[in-house]
Amino acid sequence: MKTAVVARGALFAAALFTTSFTFAVGLAVAQTPQPAAKPAAAATTALSDNLPIPPAPAPKVSKAWVLLDYATGQVLAGDNADLRVEPASITKVMTSYVLAAELKAGKIKRDDQVLMSENAWRTGGAGTDGSYSGFEVNKTAPLIEMEKGMVVQSGNDAAIALAEHAAGSEGAFANLMNAYAQRIGMKNSHFVNATGLAAEGHYSTAHDLALLGRALVRDFPEAYSFNKIKEFKVGAMNPQTNRNLLLWRDPSVDGIKTGHTSSAGYCLMASAKRGDQRLISVVMGDSSENQRAVDSQALLNWGFRFYETHKLYDANKVISKQRVWKGQTEEVQLGVAQELLVGIPRGKYAQLKPTMDVPKTLVAPIKKGQKVGTVKVALAGKVIATAPLVALDGIEEAGFFGRLWDSFWMWWDSE
């Protein structure tokens, strides 16, 4: 049958040449997307960057620990990262997240007067073994002040009072905590209180808590900023200092939260930013207040020394083009809806291998934002990042004769 139409095909050859050339070039580019240019500051690879990365300095006593790259969410190192453990007062980071989300939704307000109820005072106040803020019983304080008491002083009384204000009871507030935890992606966590006091069914993991810290930094930077306050004073009481010792030892550390109970041990979620890179460490069940700081510092230093974060593609910027059949235009521009970042060993940027998986044939109509493929980035043969490829512009369907023309050549090409 094709022999019978060769003569007619020849008549179309000149008109087809431009279309075929465009298709061939577009397909070639789609298979080898180019990442963003390497920053000039990182252009020179140190001789030591070619050496193997030494093992992370694992805490000797900790029950579980993890080091997370903030930009990508990649776990750089860890041990027992998904083991269920008592989160102790790191629980209050979840409490902060819920409060910030409810504030953003307009359900509570910064200047709300929060009552220090008798229940909050008795359960989490001075008469208990835990830390407390010292707000007077049956009196109110502005919500933001109460939250600083919870964050900086790790006040259990403040956490309970805030939970009661936001949800009516601490139990109801715990239900909100679990709902938000699911949205964040905390798959192995369950909360029954706002404080972190030991309770049956109250647990999390080092990995989940790192994801929580990442979410707080990303979604609610103001709420996160409370964690770097070094001391806070309530009424006539003497100021209480933040228990995160790294705030005094490392200027790049700007949070996040300590925790301790007799059963949980000494815990610390720490976050530091150096240049454009942020890391989050979580150490659970350490032997002392000082040791949790030492172990966390070692992990952060190791991560900053041996890893770097790179942005490969900007959001909504063209990274390739692909031929489209039966459309009013012949090409669709492809990109990623969100910037694509990777955390990689230092000095390995030039070894990244980006590729695309795109259908051989794309047919209009194509909607703007429609997923049409996947971009993958590999290092040493292992895929380290993926992202959906989306159409950055819409392609409307061509008219009758345009569709007929393309149908012919699609048929011709398929035989």
Side-chain angles (χ1 to χ4, degrees):
M1 182 177 181
K2 283 187 176 179
T3 303
V5 296
V6 166
R8 281 184 292 168
L11 295 177
F12 298 143
L16 176 64
F17 176 79
T18 301
T19 301
S20 299
F21 179 78
T22 301
F23 169 62
V25 172
L27 185 59
V29 172
Q31 300 308 314
T32 55
Q34 296 301 309
K38 188 176 183 180
T44 302
T45 300
L47 180 61
S48 63
D49 285 339
N50 294 321
L51 298 176
I53 295 177
K60 295 180 180 180
V61 178
S62 176
K63 298 175 183 176
W65 60 273
V66 73
L67 182 66
L68 189 81
D69 179 69
Y70 165 78
T72 65
Q74 291 174 239
V75 173
L76 304 182
D79 186 42
N80 292 328
D82 294 317
L83 175 70
R84 290 180 177 179
V85 293
E86 293 182 44
S89 281
I90 296 180
T91 296
K92 296 184 178 83
V93 180
M94 188 75 246
T95 303
S96 291
Y97 189 93
V98 174
L99 291 171
E102 296 294 284
L103 274 167
K104 184 177 181 180
K107 297 178 181 178
I108 53 178
K109 295 181 173 57
R110 291 170 55 90
D111 57 356
D112 280 357
Q113 292 297 308
V114 177
L115 175 68
M116 176 55 64
S117 69
E118 185 170 346
N119 174 64
W121 179 74
R122 289 189 181 280
T123 306
T128 67
D129 292 330
S131 52
Y132 66 96
S133 293
F135 291 96
E136 292 187 60
V137 64
N138 291 326
K139 292 190 177 181
T140 64
L143 184 145
I144 291 298
E145 295 301 297
M146 190 80 75
E147 184 171 1
K148 290 177 182 177
M150 176 187 73
V151 172
V152 181
Q153 302 170 324
S154 199
N156 293 324
D157 51 352
I160 297 169
L162 287 162
E164 291 174 344
H165 179 81
S169 71
E170 189 177 11
F173 187 83
N175 289 331
L176 287 179
M177 295 170 75
N178 291 318
Y180 279 109
Q182 288 298 310
R183 292 188 184 183
I184 292 170
M186 300 171 67
K187 298 179 180 180
N188 293 297
S189 299
H190 186 262
F191 300 98
V192 301
N193 61 50
T195 61
L197 292 170
E200 185 177 354
H202 189 92
Y203 57 83
S204 189
T205 69
H207 187 202
D208 275 6
L209 293 174
L211 293 177
L212 171 60
R214 180 180 185 235
L216 185 65
V217 175
R218 178 192 65 216
D219 299 340
F220 305 111
E222 181 187 9
Y224 175 72
S225 70
F226 297 159
N227 292 274
K228 66 181 179 183
I229 299 174
K230 292 184 176 181
E231 65 176 26
F232 187 71
K233 185 177 185 296
V234 173
M237 293 180 62
N238 291 328
Q240 293 189 56
T241 58
N242 195 313
R243 293 170 175 80
N244 184 357
L245 298 180
L246 293 185
L247 293 176
W248 283 266
R249 298 179 181 181
D250 184 345
S252 71
V253 172
D254 54 12
I256 182 171
K257 189 73 188 72
T258 62
H260 173 257
T261 65
S262 57
S263 53
Y266 290 87
C267 309
L268 175 59
M269 178 199 294
S271 181
K273 185 177 182 183
R274 300 179 189 176
D276 294 329
Q277 186 180 16
R278 178 181 288 280
L279 299 178
I280 297 173
S281 65
V282 178
V283 173
M284 306 298 292
D286 220 327
S287 58
S288 70
E289 183 176 8
N290 181 64
Q291 193 60 48
R292 69 186 177 190
V294 170
D295 288 338
S296 298
Q297 182 77 80
L299 287 172
L300 292 170
N301 287 343
W302 178 87
F304 283 118
R305 166 58 187 88
F306 293 106
Y307 285 85
E308 57 189 351
T309 304
H310 283 284
K311 179 171 66 176
L312 297 185
Y313 303 111
D314 287 312
N316 301 312
K317 296 292 182 66
V318 180
I319 61 176
S320 186
K321 298 178 182 180
Q322 182 79 350
R323 176 68 162 93
V324 175
W325 298 95
K326 299 185 181 182
Q328 292 184 7
T329 58
E330 295 180 346
E331 287 182 338
V332 61
Q333 296 180 331
L334 304 179
V336 290
Q338 297 179 336
E339 63 180 8
L340 179 59
L341 304 104
V342 290
I344 59 173
R346 288 194 179 277
K348 304 298 183 183
Y349 183 88
Q351 299 177 27
L352 293 177
K353 302 295 183 183
T355 57
M356 285 188 179
D357 289 337
V358 182
K360 181 179 179 182
T361 303
L362 291 178
V363 180
I366 296 176
K367 296 180 180 180
K368 182 177 181 180
Q370 178 180 329
K371 179 184 176 182
V372 296
T374 304
V375 61
K376 298 179 180 179
V377 182
L379 179 65
K382 180 181 178 181
V383 175
I384 61 172
T386 62
L389 271 175
V390 300
L392 300 181
D393 48 4
I395 306 295
E396 297 293 334
E397 199 174 42
F400 173 76
F401 289 105
R403 299 197 306 274
L404 185 63
W405 172 273
D406 278 1
S407 293
F408 170 78
W409 289 110
M410 289 172 67
W411 165 79
W412 182 273
D413 188 56
S414 67
E415 292 294 314

